[in-house]
Amino acid sequence: MSKKLKNFITIVISLFIAGTLMYLVSRSLGGDFIQKTVSVVKRANYLWVGIAAIFGLGAYWIRAIRWNLLLEPMGYKISNSNSLWALSFGYFLNLGIPRMGEIGRATALQTVEDVPFSNSFGTIVTERIIDFCFMILFLLLALLFNYSSLLSFFDLLGNNSDTSNVEKSYTIYYIFLGICILLGISFLVFRKRILKLSFTKKLINLLNGIVTGLISVFKLKQRVKFFLLSFGIWICYFFAAYMVVFALPETSFIPIKTGFFLLAVGTLGMLVPASGGIGAYHGAMMIGFSALFLSMNQSAKLGKDIGYSYAILSHSLQLIIMIIMGLISVFMLAKNKKVK
């Protein structure tokens, strides 16, 4: 299969997933889908949306600076602006071909700086490993500050709306624990055969790569600065998600601790390979707000509707930033390439 055909199929599948999820979202809202969308756009307080946008752009800039720290030990000193435009181009490419942004980002940097593709791509993989660790950290913070909401979330997935009897939901945990024990015993018994499988070897190589990436970060001369920048990126993500709640009257009551829950739910939604997270992010937020309202002994349907209102503003903001920064990056990368 040619590369062009593979990319075309990937785009089609991604758009199909996004379209299907958005269709399911519209069906769950009933016949007032378009009317509700227009209403949210009209009622929003764009001062708060603008503040959220500042944090969103801040994450771009801090990430660009952090990338330079990983490249410096290799002997490369690139401008923060070129780092920013290559980064923006990668995000822009992800809108069309999910998970291709990393390749596009490394390729873009190579066109404006003397950094080989293999070297810059290696640093991007390291970044992803660190971001994964921070994502886990913020998921744990969401669990710490929003325990009841997460319990309601699992109850909702299990079609159990009776939040006064949450003990029933623990059945699934016991089943999961039993499966883990059985898998552990199976591995001990058949470990020699399992370790010979090609899949197992690839998994081991992946884990080795993750460990190597983490070790390389701890060897950085400015590792404290690196971790502070990494924390700063996720703080920007947090406030970019949380500031949007003040843009609508129906979400302005949400306390700051629930921001961790919103960030966690949104991050999980964006993991779905749908073009630009369309539909996936909206659906995740609708389920998340339903769980949030259930934990407050309120209507899950009301939470679902409000979750969609929040998602429209929050996701649209992310999409607009990605498109604008992406279009600017195409022009700036072309301009800087000509100068070079």
Side-chain angles (χ1 to χ4, degrees):
M1 183 183 295
S2 67
K3 186 176 180 180
K4 289 184 178 180
L5 179 59
K6 186 177 180 180
N7 287 339
F8 175 76
I9 294 174
T10 302
I11 293 173
V12 171
I13 293 175
S14 175
L15 290 173
F16 175 77
I17 293 173
T20 301
L21 290 174
M22 206 62 201
Y23 170 73
L24 293 174
V25 166
S26 65
R27 277 196 62 185
S28 69
L29 290 171
D32 60 344
F33 169 67
I34 296 178
Q35 182 181 352
K36 179 177 284 292
T37 303
V38 174
S39 174
V40 170
V41 174
K42 287 182 177 180
R43 292 185 297 106
N45 184 335
Y46 288 98
L47 171 63
W48 289 106
V49 176
I51 294 174
I54 292 173
F55 283 105
L57 291 170
Y60 270 67
W61 183 247
I62 297 174
R63 187 176 285 278
I65 296 173
R66 188 185 69 169
W67 194 13
N68 285 349
L69 290 183
L70 287 174
L71 290 167
E72 281 182 3
M74 301 179 187
Y76 304 110
K77 181 62 178 178
I78 66 175
S79 68
N80 288 332
S81 59
N82 279 339
S83 175
L84 174 65
W85 300 130
L87 174 76
S88 300
F89 179 76
Y91 285 144
F92 186 57
L93 189 61
N94 270 336
L95 291 177
I97 312 176
R99 310 298 177 255
M100 283 294 290
E102 287 76 10
I103 296 175
R105 176 178 161 188
T107 303
L109 186 66
Q110 190 175 22
T111 63
V112 293
E113 299 279 358
D114 295 323
V115 182
F117 174 88
S118 57
N119 288 3
S120 61
F121 188 77
T123 60
I124 293 171
V125 172
T126 301
E127 276 192 335
R128 287 291 174 261
I129 294 169
I130 298 301
D131 286 335
F132 176 77
C133 294
F134 273 89
M135 182 185 76
I136 296 299
L137 172 62
F138 274 76
L139 286 174
L140 291 175
L141 288 172
L143 179 63
L144 176 64
F145 292 111
N146 304 274
Y147 181 71
S148 60
S149 296
L150 289 175
L151 274 185
S152 296
F153 179 76
F154 290 120
D155 282 342
L156 188 63
L157 290 180
N159 295 319
N160 176 19
S161 59
D162 183 8
T163 55
S164 64
N165 191 22
V166 296
E167 290 81 4
K168 292 180 181 179
S169 64
Y170 285 104
T171 302
I172 192 171
Y173 303 132
Y174 296 138
I175 294 174
F176 178 74
L177 179 61
I179 292 174
C180 289
I181 293 173
L182 288 175
L183 288 175
I185 295 172
S186 299
F187 177 77
L188 291 174
V189 175
F190 302 105
R191 62 183 180 279
K192 291 184 179 180
R193 293 183 182 181
I194 294 174
L195 291 173
K196 291 180 180 180
L197 297 174
S198 60
F199 171 78
T200 307
K201 292 178 180 179
K202 290 180 180 179
L203 181 61
I204 292 173
N205 289 334
L206 175 63
L207 293 174
N208 286 334
I210 292 174
V211 172
T212 302
L214 289 172
I215 292 174
S216 67
V217 171
F218 283 100
K219 290 182 178 179
L220 289 173
K221 292 182 179 179
Q222 302 186 68
R223 54 182 174 273
V224 174
K225 182 179 179 181
F226 178 86
F227 282 106
L228 287 175
L229 289 172
S230 298
F231 189 68
I233 291 170
W234 282 84
I235 288 295
C236 284
Y237 286 161
F238 174 85
F239 283 107
Y242 182 64
M243 289 295 106
V244 176
V245 305
F246 299 110
L248 293 170
E250 57 265 41
T251 56
S252 59
F253 72 93
I254 294 176
I256 191 168
K257 67 177 184 178
T258 307
F260 293 106
F261 179 74
L262 297 179
L263 180 60
V265 171
T267 300
L268 294 175
M270 293 299 286
L271 291 177
V272 178
S275 182
I278 297 173
Y281 183 88
H282 301 76
M285 280 301 170
M286 290 167 69
I287 296 174
F289 270 81
S290 295
L292 181 63
F293 273 61
L294 279 175
S295 69
M296 298 185 297
N297 294 319
Q298 296 188 35
S299 168
K301 184 181 185 306
L302 177 62
K304 179 182 69 175
D305 291 343
I306 293 178
Y308 174 74
S309 299
Y310 171 86
I312 281 293
L313 287 182
S314 181
H315 183 264
S316 297
L317 173 62
Q318 296 175 44
L319 209 57
I320 290 171
I321 290 176
M322 291 173 70
I323 292 173
I324 292 176
M325 292 295 290
L327 291 175
I328 295 175
S329 72
V330 172
F331 171 77
M332 294 302 297
L333 289 170
K335 177 185 176 182
N336 292 346
K337 181 181 180 181
K338 290 178 182 179
V339 172
K340 181 182 174 183

